[in-house]
Amino acid sequence: MADGAKVLLLEDDEFHRDLLAQGLEEYYDYQVDRAETIAEAEEVLKAGTPDLLVLDCVLADDRFQVIEWVRGLRKRPKLADTPILFVTAFYREMKEQVESIPRSSILEKPFTFEDVTQKMRELLGQKPS
Amino acid sequence: MFESLTHSFGRQPKLPFYLGWILLIPVLIFSVWLLWAFNSSLRFRDRLFEKEYEGSLSTELGLLVALTSEASQRVEARPTSSQAIQRALKAVREELSGLSAISPSRPSIAEVIDLATAESEEDLRRLLADPKLSDIPLSRLGLELGTRPGFPAYPFLQSTGSQGPATSFVFIPASGVQDGGAIRTLSLSRRRDLVFSRLAELKLRPLFTDIDSESIVQAYYIACSDFVRMVFPRPMPGPSFSAFRSFVDRTYFRETLASKDGLRESALYLDVTGSGFVITHSAFVHNETVGLCGLLAVDVKIQSLADFWQQVTLGGEGGGLRDFSSATLVLPERRIESGSSFSEALRTEIEAEVKEWPAEDLQGGIKRMNLGSTKVFTVPIGGGRVGLFSFNEAATRRKYFLILVFGALSIISFVIMVAYSASRQRAAAEAEQLQNEILENLHGGFAIVDRAGNIRGATERFRMMVGNPAGVPPVEGFLSRESTTEYRKLASGESFSFAGNLHRPGRADEPVIVASAPVSLPGEPGARMLILIPSRELEVTIAGKFLNVFSHALKSPVHSILLIADLFRRRNALPRFDEYYSQLYRKVQEFRTLTDNVLRFSALDVKAIQPERNSVNVARVLRQVLSSARERARARGLALHESIPASLQSCTDSQLLVVVVNNLVDNALKYTNNGHIAVHAVDLLTRIQITVEDSGPGVPASERDSVFDLFVQGSSATRVAHEGLGLGLHISRRYMEALGGTLRYEPILRDPRGPDDETNLAGSRLVAELPKGG
């Protein structure tokens, strides 16, 4: 299992955010820090470096906001290698963009808890259980 | 090709020629006048050139000798005004009454008058009634008359001008002229359509005091009386010299200059110098331009003037004036001050010029020599040279200048006209070609349809599209049945377009966009243009776009449902069953609303909305919708206010109404993150007003027009991710309209008196008004 791995979840839809975070914490033993906006995500990062980032690609119709922010993150020494999971409903459009980010993966909505946790384990280098 | 269309309706571009016509008409008039004037002057010249006369003419303007050959002719210009004639005759009568006392043998006044007015040779002969005169041509008649005993009038001078020739008669009283006396001349000339008559007194005065008067008189006698004689081959006696001499003491002719208004008068100027010059000329002044024609004799050694004249007429070594036939004189314009003496000025000038003539030029045959800026043709006579000069250049020049100007103008105007019309035609042809190109290359077929729906003209493309290149059937022949109905319904109005189908037998219908607009064509009221644009690709693209949006919109509730459903199977799911269930239920509702809207939307255009009206308690409908919305509002942390009366009756379709209210509330919930939603319903007697307010970001004024459009989901300024397709408000409005009501958007302003901009927006208000019906 996750062994309490720390996750930053950036998702602007409240329902989805709460649902996913709740599930990951209750049933998959992750510690999830929630963020609705990039600003909130930065607050979380200040507090400490997570083991994994789970990011909604597209916030509020701005397709490039998150990707650009991530490119900036990769330049920071602490976050250069942190694995990132992109989740999005706009799979086709965002796939190319995401491929240029090292150590990242992309998952299309809708997905189940199985789908998402498998991806997360892969990124964290753990064998699927 | 497309020509069939414009040609079949006979429309050709018009080309106005205003510019060209305006210039051309006066030019034509002038040309006609020119021809007439030229012709009349030609006729005159032809007369002068009649073979009976020795000494042919070189120029109509000047040859004095030849002119005097006309002296016997009647006045060519026929008097056209009887009043003028009467005036002239009256003057003549007066004169002759004075003279008649002198010579009893003079002809009667009546005779003279008649002679003066005879208009033709026939006339003249008849008047004279002398059989032996009948064989004599008119040209010699004057001579005959002049020799009649006692006939005092000598045709003396024929002058000419642009108005035609004139004849002057000299009346020399038989009793002679006293010292200081005068000779009277009567000139009858034609000026336009008036007979210009002038009775002049020509006083005789000496010009040069160093010449003895005997010579002058002699010269004058010879000149005057033998004028006629010299030009006629048959020598004729004149009045006796003694008779002449007895009244000629001093010789001069008064010259008269034209008045400023351009009247032409003529005077004979005779100068006998005895120093070798003989200058005679007739001067006329017209519009301050002096015209002179003259005879110049230089260094002519003559025994007598008679001898001189004889040589001049019959020819000397150079053959005489007969050889001047082809000379053309171009002469300068001379302006001479009024009141000055012709002779002095001219004589001085000629003297100076002639002195320059080289001696060798004075030998030999016909020579052209310079006289000032004039060229003079001279012929050796009597050891000297006789030259002829005439000038009336200015008028000629003016005339030719005018001809040139008008000619140039006419050519220019013609060229302009041609070029203009050519360019207009070219422009029209280019425009037509462009039009044809556009129509032929249109991505679609173009045709003209008449009121009955028959195709009157069509492009190639059109024919190919409807699958019948040979002939094109009326609209029923190629549109599907629904499309034909649709076309017929719309064709009575203005322009329209709709998505329809082409029907092709044996093949599947082809989707097309049918566009049509009225065109005005002469003789074809109700004609329309018809454009068919293949729309299969378009439909695929649009469908693709829609499906794209749709699938994205669906993903969100599906995703939620998946995750929730997943939670149900977790170990501690049971205690939280209710929680999970209500979440699931909400998401399923959203999903349902979404798919409902899609289905409704697809139904909207296929068939008209047909409300089923019943008596409905609108208040109850509202409460039902709100009851399910309450949960959602609470989950989002929004307050839900309502003020709905217990009962609001309307005759309406409750199903449609539910959709509308549901969409309005759904919309409010979607866009409001914090604050409240309020629903009010009010009875406004004839209608019920339902208001849904929210405290969301509101819609900026610039976007309000498109709030009810399809696929509009809020401005980027709000930056809120949301669910949905942008169908809800559109459908709501369509349904409200079908129910006979309205739906509108109003902003909620924080400060009602403040500006309507984003700083003052506090929310949105959607107002639906439903008629009570019944």
Side-chain angles (χ1 to χ4, degrees), chain B residues 78-385:
Chain B
R78 279 147 174 59
T80 55
S81 159
S82 59
Q83 277 180 343
I85 297 168
Q86 296 307 318
R87 272 203 307 276
L89 293 178
K90 185 162 172 283
V92 169
R93 233 176 256 128
E94 279 168 19
E95 282 300 311
L96 292 178
S97 64
L99 293 171
S100 65
I102 300 169
S103 165
S105 61
R106 54 197 307 102
S108 70
I109 291 168
E111 260 187 73
V112 175
I113 291 169
D114 287 337
L115 285 172
T117 59
E119 294 196 351
S120 68
E121 189 170 324
E122 287 307 311
D123 262 350
L124 198 57
R125 291 212 184 84
R126 189 174 42 75
L127 286 166
L128 294 171
D130 190 335
K132 83 169 186 294
L133 293 177
S134 62
D135 295 328
I136 300 175
L138 190 61
S139 56
R140 297 198 192 121
L141 226 41
L143 187 61
E144 298 293 335
L145 294 174
T147 60
R148 288 182 69 184
F151 184 76
Y154 289 82
F156 181 70
L157 172 69
Q158 186 80 13
S159 60
T160 186
S162 64
Q163 309 307 327
T167 300
S168 296
F169 294 86
V170 173
F171 298 92
I172 302 172
S175 60
V177 173
Q178 300 304 316
D179 187 18
I183 306 174
R184 296 206 173 95
T185 67
L186 167 70
S187 291
L188 293 171
S189 61
R190 185 184 183 185
R191 179 166 169 262
R192 296 211 179 100
D193 56 352
L194 287 178
V195 171
F196 173 69
S197 68
R198 182 176 69 92
L199 201 58
E201 229 178 51
L202 303 172
K203 289 222 175 345
L204 311 173
R205 71 166 172 87
L207 287 165
F208 302 98
T209 51
D210 56 343
I211 302 169
D212 71 303
S213 55
E214 184 69 14
S215 307
I216 292 169
V217 170
Q218 188 182 27
Y220 179 64
Y221 166 69
I222 293 168
C224 286
S225 62
D226 289 354
F227 253 62
V228 171
R229 186 184 307 166
M230 78 179 182
V231 296
F232 292 111
R234 216 182 333 160
M236 299 296 297
S240 72
F241 177 67
S242 56
F244 185 85
R245 188 177 184 285
S246 68
F247 64 81
V248 173
D249 187 8
R250 296 180 300 169
T251 312
Y252 74 94
F253 289 86
R254 182 176 65 197
E255 67 246 3
T256 319
L257 289 175
S259 58
K260 294 279 182 199
D261 63 356
L263 271 179
R264 186 182 300 113
E265 305 195 30
S266 62
L268 183 65
Y269 188 65
L270 177 65
D271 181 14
V272 178
T273 66
S275 61
F277 285 107
V278 173
I279 304 167
T280 69
H281 53 273
S282 164
F284 57 93
V285 177
H286 176 63
N287 286 339
E288 294 178 29
T289 304
V290 173
L292 293 173
C293 51
L295 188 64
L296 167 68
V298 178
D299 278 348
V300 176
K301 292 169 187 58
I302 46 175
Q303 302 303 314
S304 68
L305 279 180
D307 180 36
F308 162 74
W309 290 122
Q310 193 177 31
Q311 290 197 51
V312 162
T313 55
L314 299 178
E317 293 165 32
L321 295 169
R322 282 171 291 197
D323 295 321
F324 282 72
S325 57
S326 61
T328 315
L329 300 177
V330 176
L331 304 157
E333 178 183 30
R334 292 180 59 89
R335 298 170 71 94
I336 295 189
E337 299 296 319
S338 164
S340 68
S341 154
F342 266 131
S343 66
E344 303 221 13
L346 193 58
R347 182 169 179 273
T348 314
E349 184 172 306
I350 292 174
E351 260 184 349
E353 285 293 328
V354 164
K355 279 199 170 91
E356 302 289 321
W357 289 357
E360 59 267 20
D361 279 353
L362 294 173
Q363 313 304 321
I366 298 170
K367 290 255 172 76
R368 210 170 156 199
M369 312 178 83
N370 290 326
L371 187 67
S373 51
T374 303
K375 287 267 185 268
V376 175
F377 284 89
T378 62
V379 53
I381 289 178
R385 299 196 75 82

Side-chain angles (χ1 to χ4, degrees), chain A residues 11-16 19-20 22-23 26-28 36 56 58-63 65 88-93 108-116, chain B residues 548 552 555-564 566-567 569-573 576 579-580 583-584 586-587 635-636 714-716 718-723:
Chain A
E11 162 68 65
D12 58 346
D13 184 290
E14 195 187 343
F15 189 82
H16 291 166
L19 195 51
L20 188 57
Q22 199 183 345
E26 284 196 32
Y27 300 112
Y28 294 92
E36 189 178 347
D56 184 8
V58 178
L59 299 182
D61 296 331
D62 187 341
R63 289 177 180 212
Q65 201 183 11
T88 182
F90 300 94
Y91 182 74
R92 232 178 339 115
E93 291 89 324
E108 186 179 4
K109 284 187 195 173
F111 51 78
T112 62
F113 280 109
E114 295 284 328
D115 299 329
V116 68
Chain B
N548 200 27
H552 279 130
K555 281 186 183 179
S556 190
V558 165
H559 180 66
S560 307
I561 292 167
L562 263 180
L563 291 178
I564 298 170
D566 192 304
L567 294 177
R569 64 180 177 91
R570 303 292 168 171
R571 51 179 183 275
N572 57 344
R576 304 174 72 165
E579 183 195 332
Y580 291 164
Q583 285 180 342
L584 183 66
R586 269 190 2 242
K587 286 300 167 183
R636 286 175 67 73
S715 71
S716 53
T718 61
R719 298 229 180 269
V720 170
H722 49 259
E723 301 162 350

Side-chain angles (χ1 to χ4, degrees), chain B residues 27-47:
Chain B
V27 163
L28 284 173
I29 291 171
F30 181 73
S31 314
V32 168
W33 174 82
L34 263 186
L35 279 171
W36 172 84
F38 192 58
N39 189 39
S40 64
S41 68
L42 276 178
R43 279 188 285 114
F44 177 65
R45 190 200 292 216
D46 289 343
R47 263 197 331 280

